[in-house]
Amino acid sequence: MNDRASGPTWAEREELARLLPAPAERDLPPGRHLHHKETLMQLIDQDGDRTTARPRPRLLRPAVLLPAAGLALGGILFTTLAVTGRDEAPRTAATAAAPRGATVLLDRIATVASESDAIEVTDAQFVYVRTLQAANTGAFGGPVKLGKPGEREVWMAQKSGPVIDEGLIHEDGKYFPIEVGVPDGEKPVGYPAGLNRPTYTWLASLPTDPDALLRRLATEITADQDARNTPADERDPDQDAFEAIGGLLRETLMPPRTAAALYKAAARIPGVSVDSDAVDAAGRHGIGVARDDERAGWRTAWVFDAKTLAYLGERTYLIRDTSMGRKGTVTNTSAVLERAVVDALREKPSTTARPAGLPVA
């Protein structure tokens, strides 16, 4: 997607009119959101395939050291993100961009996000999120068993320097600390702010040129994957770029300029499309920005309110029959209910806090 001072063409405006209703008046407050969904998406054999696909982890997270009860109840999984190999330029910056419909939609979402208000977040504060989510609880490679939607609250530390105590999760009536470090048996080492622990300050430091942003993300993710010895056949540059941006959008409190740049960067990823009727975990219908993972056989859609272009949540479902289920089966879904900045762990936003359902910024 190229920035043009002259704005969209008549054909593009017609496409926008087809995709979306007229935007609402900008009388909504710039709410802040966070979502910490950590699920391990599974690559599986397709019906009739003779090759075995390997699991390719999906989201941005460092190793998380939690008690066994926390792993079972909180749904915390050790996840990672795959991208291009070392010294390889991200394909997304050099290949064809998303189809025109998705490009126009993402451009409009970027404009709304850029007009949100920036805020100040100190090192001593925490980003708070309350979400509704349902994940696949079925056996690896087997039929999907979508769990019942449940609420989760997360507090994430915003300290710029390395931390061991990254935050706290409240789920199923219990609290589980999030401690980041090296594997069991070794002395934990603090984790700095970065792609795996994206603080507000770190996000604000990212380049706002979409191509430069894609290159920056690819460099950081590649370094992370090299450290984890991720095999080359588990890396899909375009899908990984889409998942990386999706993880940042749903798991952080975003500076307006960074959010706008991420949406514009997403428009440069081949295969990104419009899902005209996407639904989040709360049952809210909206318009989706989606991409198919052809190897896995599923589609992931970021769900936006069709009028306000607010980020609502995410939904993943099968796009063909596989050993996980029939085409259309939902494998994971989430909904952001509230985001805010608070001063302490376990502190909740005041009753005057701005609600979720607004552009990510």
Side-chain angles (χ1 to χ4, degrees), residues 71-146:
L71 290 172
L73 296 175
I76 304 300
L77 299 173
F78 300 138
T79 61
T80 184
L81 182 67
V83 295
T84 68
R86 189 195 306 269
D87 298 329
E88 212 179 313
R91 287 190 342 218
T92 54
T95 54
R100 174 56 56 188
T103 299
V104 174
L105 174 59
L106 283 163
D107 186 52
R108 183 169 171 184
I109 294 172
T111 299
V112 173
S114 69
E115 294 172 351
S116 300
D117 295 332
I119 64 172
E120 292 185 8
V121 182
T122 70
D123 274 16
Q125 291 181 305
F126 298 84
V127 166
Y128 167 90
V129 65
R130 182 168 60 93
T131 60
L132 183 70
Q133 55 188 280
N136 178 19
T137 61
F140 175 78
V144 171
K145 294 182 179 179
L146 193 65

Side-chain angles (χ1 to χ4, degrees), residues 195-332:
L195 188 59
N196 285 332
R197 193 174 74 82
T199 64
Y200 190 89
T201 300
W202 179 82
L203 288 164
S205 73
L206 293 175
T208 54
D209 174 78
D211 290 325
L213 180 54
L214 283 174
R215 290 192 295 269
R216 171 72 178 274
L217 294 178
T219 297
E220 297 221 8
I221 301 168
T222 299
D224 180 68
Q225 290 306 298
D226 287 346
R228 298 172 187 270
N229 297 315
T230 303
D233 62 357
E234 293 180 14
R235 306 185 182 195
D236 178 349
D238 295 330
Q239 184 65 23
D240 296 336
F242 181 79
E243 292 173 358
I245 293 172
L248 290 176
L249 293 176
R250 86 184 150 258
E251 297 179 350
T252 63
L253 191 155
M254 191 73 64
R257 294 182 63 198
T258 307
L262 286 169
Y263 289 127
K264 291 182 178 182
R268 285 164 161 73
I269 301 174
V272 174
S273 62
V274 174
D275 196 331
S276 60
D277 185 20
V279 186
D280 71 5
R284 298 176 296 193
H285 289 255
I287 190 165
V289 172
R291 192 176 195 278
D292 294 347
D293 187 330
E294 296 292 349
R295 292 200 307 170
W298 57 60
R299 168 178 292 187
T300 297
W302 310 333
V303 186
F304 298 88
D305 186 281
K307 292 183 178 180
T308 66
L309 299 184
Y311 176 85
L312 299 178
E314 187 179 278
R315 183 180 184 89
T316 300
Y317 58 92
L318 299 179
I319 55 174
R320 60 174 179 264
D321 293 349
T322 75
S323 62
M324 293 180 71
R326 300 295 298 273
K327 178 180 178 180
T329 299
V330 176
T331 63
N332 287 273

Side-chain angles (χ1 to χ4, degrees), residues 337-353:
L337 304 179
E338 188 175 20
R339 298 191 220 203
V341 178
V342 296
D343 296 326
L345 292 173
R346 303 197 185 197
E347 178 183 341
K348 298 185 180 183
S350 68
T351 56
T352 59

